[in-house]
Amino acid sequence: MYLNDFNDALKMSADQNLVVPNITQSYEDEKLIEDTILALLKEYKKDEFKGLIGQCIEVSYRLYIGLKDVGIESYLTIGSIIHKKDQYEFFPLESRDIVNMLTLESNGNKKIHVWITLPSLKIIDLTFLSSYVYLNNIKDPLGLPIYNFPDNLPDFKYIPKIVGEDFLYKIGAIKILDNGK
């Protein structure tokens, strides 16, 4: 279950001396969240959403800031995705990978995936399906966002490994993005 994996990710974050977000139950204004998602997606529509492909860190961080600006609590979440049918794991991320990335022993080539988790444990992922359909030459439209409870997703299982922006700062993934949205 996502709740158990999310709690494990919070523990892993704390174990790595990362700043762990204070998880609070808060009101989630669905309309405000959807409007924030749509406003961000509008910027990518001009290139038929192809700008979303492989851009999970930037897009998720920009959404995180956008949600924060309108008073919506959210958490940047880093982890893996498993295709339920064939059990293929996208962006595998093990504890040793996290430690290596934080201690700069990594060569910097480790691919990670980032999405948003809301206090309700609903997730928002604006990039994965665009990348998935593009890379697999599937004829579905690009730009499909995931905005749902992850345990309800029919095809993919999301497995959080780390929670919070501190990890992304410490590995240098969002230092450039910090000055702009």
Side-chain angles (χ1 to χ4, degrees), residues 34-60:
E34 289 170 7
D35 288 348
T36 305
I37 291 169
L38 290 173
L40 183 59
L41 285 177
K42 250 187 212 178
E43 297 178 33
Y44 293 93
K45 187 177 181 183
K46 63 184 173 290
D47 65 357
E48 297 177 346
F49 301 108
K50 289 182 182 169
L52 296 172
I53 297 167
Q55 298 301 311
C56 66
I57 296 170
E58 176 185 343
V59 173
S60 294

Short mmCIF file of all heavy atoms in Angstrom, two decimals, residues 34-60:
data_model
loop_
_atom_site.label_atom_id
_atom_site.label_comp_id
_atom_site.label_asym_id
_atom_site.label_seq_id
_atom_site.Cartn_x
_atom_site.Cartn_y
_atom_site.Cartn_z
N GLU A 34 -6.75 21.45 -9.40
CA GLU A 34 -6.92 21.23 -10.84
C GLU A 34 -6.58 22.48 -11.64
O GLU A 34 -5.94 22.39 -12.70
CB GLU A 34 -8.35 20.77 -11.12
CG GLU A 34 -8.61 19.35 -10.63
CD GLU A 34 -10.07 18.94 -10.66
OE1 GLU A 34 -10.90 19.69 -11.20
OE2 GLU A 34 -10.37 17.85 -10.13
N ASP A 35 -6.97 23.65 -11.14
CA ASP A 35 -6.65 24.90 -11.83
C ASP A 35 -5.14 25.13 -11.88
O ASP A 35 -4.60 25.60 -12.89
CB ASP A 35 -7.32 26.10 -11.15
CG ASP A 35 -8.83 26.13 -11.37
OD1 ASP A 35 -9.34 25.38 -12.23
OD2 ASP A 35 -9.51 26.92 -10.67
N THR A 36 -4.44 24.79 -10.81
CA THR A 36 -2.99 24.94 -10.75
C THR A 36 -2.32 23.98 -11.73
O THR A 36 -1.38 24.36 -12.44
CB THR A 36 -2.47 24.72 -9.31
OG1 THR A 36 -3.17 25.60 -8.42
CG2 THR A 36 -0.99 24.98 -9.21
N ILE A 37 -2.81 22.76 -11.79
CA ILE A 37 -2.29 21.77 -12.74
C ILE A 37 -2.51 22.27 -14.17
O ILE A 37 -1.59 22.27 -15.00
CB ILE A 37 -2.97 20.39 -12.55
CG1 ILE A 37 -2.54 19.76 -11.23
CG2 ILE A 37 -2.68 19.46 -13.73
CD1 ILE A 37 -3.36 18.52 -10.84
N LEU A 38 -3.72 22.71 -14.47
CA LEU A 38 -4.04 23.17 -15.83
C LEU A 38 -3.21 24.38 -16.24
O LEU A 38 -2.77 24.48 -17.39
CB LEU A 38 -5.53 23.47 -15.96
CG LEU A 38 -6.44 22.24 -15.93
CD1 LEU A 38 -7.91 22.65 -15.89
CD2 LEU A 38 -6.17 21.32 -17.11
N ALA A 39 -2.98 25.30 -15.29
CA ALA A 39 -2.18 26.48 -15.60
C ALA A 39 -0.75 26.08 -15.98
O ALA A 39 -0.17 26.61 -16.94
CB ALA A 39 -2.16 27.43 -14.40
N LEU A 40 -0.20 25.11 -15.26
CA LEU A 40 1.15 24.65 -15.58
C LEU A 40 1.16 23.89 -16.91
O LEU A 40 2.05 24.10 -17.75
CB LEU A 40 1.69 23.77 -14.45
CG LEU A 40 3.12 23.26 -14.62
CD1 LEU A 40 4.11 24.42 -14.76
CD2 LEU A 40 3.51 22.38 -13.44
N LEU A 41 0.18 23.03 -17.12
CA LEU A 41 0.13 22.26 -18.37
C LEU A 41 -0.03 23.15 -19.60
O LEU A 41 0.46 22.82 -20.68
CB LEU A 41 -0.99 21.23 -18.32
CG LEU A 41 -0.73 20.00 -17.45
CD1 LEU A 41 -1.96 19.10 -17.43
CD2 LEU A 41 0.50 19.23 -17.92
N LYS A 42 -0.71 24.29 -19.44
CA LYS A 42 -0.89 25.23 -20.56
C LYS A 42 0.46 25.66 -21.13
O LYS A 42 0.60 25.87 -22.32
CB LYS A 42 -1.64 26.47 -20.07
CG LYS A 42 -3.02 26.60 -20.59
CD LYS A 42 -3.62 27.93 -20.19
CE LYS A 42 -5.09 27.69 -20.00
NZ LYS A 42 -5.79 28.89 -19.57
N GLU A 43 1.45 25.79 -20.26
CA GLU A 43 2.78 26.20 -20.71
C GLU A 43 3.43 25.14 -21.59
O GLU A 43 4.29 25.45 -22.40
CB GLU A 43 3.67 26.51 -19.51
CG GLU A 43 3.17 27.66 -18.68
CD GLU A 43 4.04 27.90 -17.46
OE1 GLU A 43 5.26 27.67 -17.55
OE2 GLU A 43 3.49 28.33 -16.43
N TYR A 44 3.04 23.90 -21.41
CA TYR A 44 3.64 22.80 -22.18
C TYR A 44 2.80 22.40 -23.38
O TYR A 44 3.25 21.64 -24.22
CB TYR A 44 3.86 21.58 -21.27
CG TYR A 44 4.90 21.84 -20.22
CD1 TYR A 44 4.55 22.31 -18.97
CD2 TYR A 44 6.25 21.63 -20.50
CE1 TYR A 44 5.51 22.56 -18.00
CE2 TYR A 44 7.22 21.89 -19.54
CZ TYR A 44 6.85 22.35 -18.30
OH TYR A 44 7.80 22.61 -17.36
N LYS A 45 1.60 22.93 -23.48
CA LYS A 45 0.68 22.55 -24.56
C LYS A 45 1.20 22.98 -25.92
O LYS A 45 0.97 22.30 -26.91
CB LYS A 45 -0.70 23.15 -24.29
CG LYS A 45 -1.74 22.68 -25.26
CD LYS A 45 -3.10 23.24 -24.93
CE LYS A 45 -4.13 22.72 -25.90
NZ LYS A 45 -5.43 23.27 -25.67
N LYS A 46 1.93 24.08 -25.96
CA LYS A 46 2.37 24.62 -27.25
C LYS A 46 3.23 23.64 -28.05
O LYS A 46 3.26 23.67 -29.25
CB LYS A 46 3.11 25.94 -27.05
CG LYS A 46 4.38 25.85 -26.23
CD LYS A 46 4.98 27.23 -26.02
CE LYS A 46 6.16 27.18 -25.08
NZ LYS A 46 5.84 26.89 -23.70
N ASP A 47 3.92 22.74 -27.35
CA ASP A 47 4.71 21.74 -28.08
C ASP A 47 4.09 20.35 -27.95
O ASP A 47 4.79 19.35 -27.95
CB ASP A 47 6.17 21.74 -27.62
CG ASP A 47 6.35 21.30 -26.17
OD1 ASP A 47 5.34 21.04 -25.49
OD2 ASP A 47 7.50 21.20 -25.72
N GLU A 48 2.77 20.33 -27.85
CA GLU A 48 2.00 19.09 -27.75
C GLU A 48 2.45 18.25 -26.56
O GLU A 48 2.47 17.03 -26.62
CB GLU A 48 2.08 18.30 -29.05
CG GLU A 48 1.48 19.03 -30.22
CD GLU A 48 1.63 18.27 -31.52
OE1 GLU A 48 2.41 17.30 -31.59
OE2 GLU A 48 0.95 18.67 -32.47
N PHE A 49 2.83 18.93 -25.49
CA PHE A 49 3.22 18.30 -24.22
C PHE A 49 4.54 17.54 -24.30
O PHE A 49 4.93 16.91 -23.34
CB PHE A 49 2.11 17.38 -23.68
CG PHE A 49 0.81 18.09 -23.44
CD1 PHE A 49 -0.26 17.87 -24.28
CD2 PHE A 49 0.67 18.99 -22.39
CE1 PHE A 49 -1.47 18.53 -24.08
CE2 PHE A 49 -0.53 19.65 -22.19
CZ PHE A 49 -1.60 19.42 -23.02
N LYS A 50 5.24 17.60 -25.43
CA LYS A 50 6.51 16.88 -25.52
C LYS A 50 7.54 17.45 -24.55
O LYS A 50 8.49 16.76 -24.19
CB LYS A 50 7.02 16.88 -26.95
CG LYS A 50 6.18 15.98 -27.84
CD LYS A 50 6.69 15.92 -29.25
CE LYS A 50 5.75 15.05 -30.07
NZ LYS A 50 6.01 15.13 -31.49
N GLY A 51 7.34 18.69 -24.11
CA GLY A 51 8.24 19.29 -23.13
C GLY A 51 8.15 18.64 -21.77
O GLY A 51 8.99 18.90 -20.89
N LEU A 52 7.15 17.81 -21.56
CA LEU A 52 7.01 17.09 -20.29
C LEU A 52 7.90 15.85 -20.24
O LEU A 52 8.21 15.35 -19.16
CB LEU A 52 5.55 16.66 -20.08
CG LEU A 52 4.51 17.76 -19.94
CD1 LEU A 52 3.11 17.15 -19.92
CD2 LEU A 52 4.76 18.56 -18.67
N ILE A 53 8.31 15.36 -21.39
CA ILE A 53 9.04 14.10 -21.47
C ILE A 53 10.40 14.25 -20.80
O ILE A 53 11.21 15.10 -21.18
CB ILE A 53 9.18 13.63 -22.92
CG1 ILE A 53 7.80 13.36 -23.50
CG2 ILE A 53 10.08 12.42 -23.04
CD1 ILE A 53 7.76 13.20 -24.99
N GLY A 54 10.63 13.43 -19.79
CA GLY A 54 11.91 13.43 -19.09
C GLY A 54 12.15 14.65 -18.23
O GLY A 54 13.29 14.91 -17.83
N GLN A 55 11.12 15.40 -17.92
CA GLN A 55 11.28 16.64 -17.16
C GLN A 55 10.58 16.59 -15.80
O GLN A 55 10.06 17.59 -15.32
CB GLN A 55 10.74 17.82 -17.97
CG GLN A 55 11.47 18.04 -19.27
CD GLN A 55 12.96 18.28 -19.06
OE1 GLN A 55 13.35 19.09 -18.24
NE2 GLN A 55 13.78 17.56 -19.80
N CYS A 56 10.56 15.43 -15.16
CA CYS A 56 9.79 15.27 -13.93
C CYS A 56 10.28 16.18 -12.81
O CYS A 56 9.47 16.68 -12.02
CB CYS A 56 9.78 13.82 -13.47
SG CYS A 56 11.39 13.19 -12.98
N ILE A 57 11.58 16.40 -12.70
CA ILE A 57 12.08 17.23 -11.60
C ILE A 57 11.59 18.66 -11.77
O ILE A 57 10.99 19.24 -10.85
CB ILE A 57 13.62 17.17 -11.51
CG1 ILE A 57 14.06 15.74 -11.18
CG2 ILE A 57 14.13 18.15 -10.45
CD1 ILE A 57 15.57 15.51 -11.30
N GLU A 58 11.82 19.23 -12.94
CA GLU A 58 11.39 20.61 -13.18
C GLU A 58 9.89 20.77 -13.05
O GLU A 58 9.40 21.66 -12.35
CB GLU A 58 11.83 21.07 -14.57
CG GLU A 58 11.31 22.47 -14.89
CD GLU A 58 11.62 22.92 -16.31
OE1 GLU A 58 12.48 22.32 -16.98
OE2 GLU A 58 10.98 23.89 -16.74
N VAL A 59 9.14 19.91 -13.70
CA VAL A 59 7.68 20.05 -13.72
C VAL A 59 7.10 19.84 -12.32
O VAL A 59 6.24 20.61 -11.88
CB VAL A 59 7.05 19.08 -14.76
CG1 VAL A 59 5.54 19.08 -14.66
CG2 VAL A 59 7.50 19.46 -16.17
N SER A 60 7.56 18.81 -11.62
CA SER A 60 7.03 18.55 -10.27
C SER A 60 7.41 19.67 -9.30
O SER A 60 6.60 20.07 -8.47
CB SER A 60 7.54 17.21 -9.74
OG SER A 60 7.02 16.16 -10.51
#
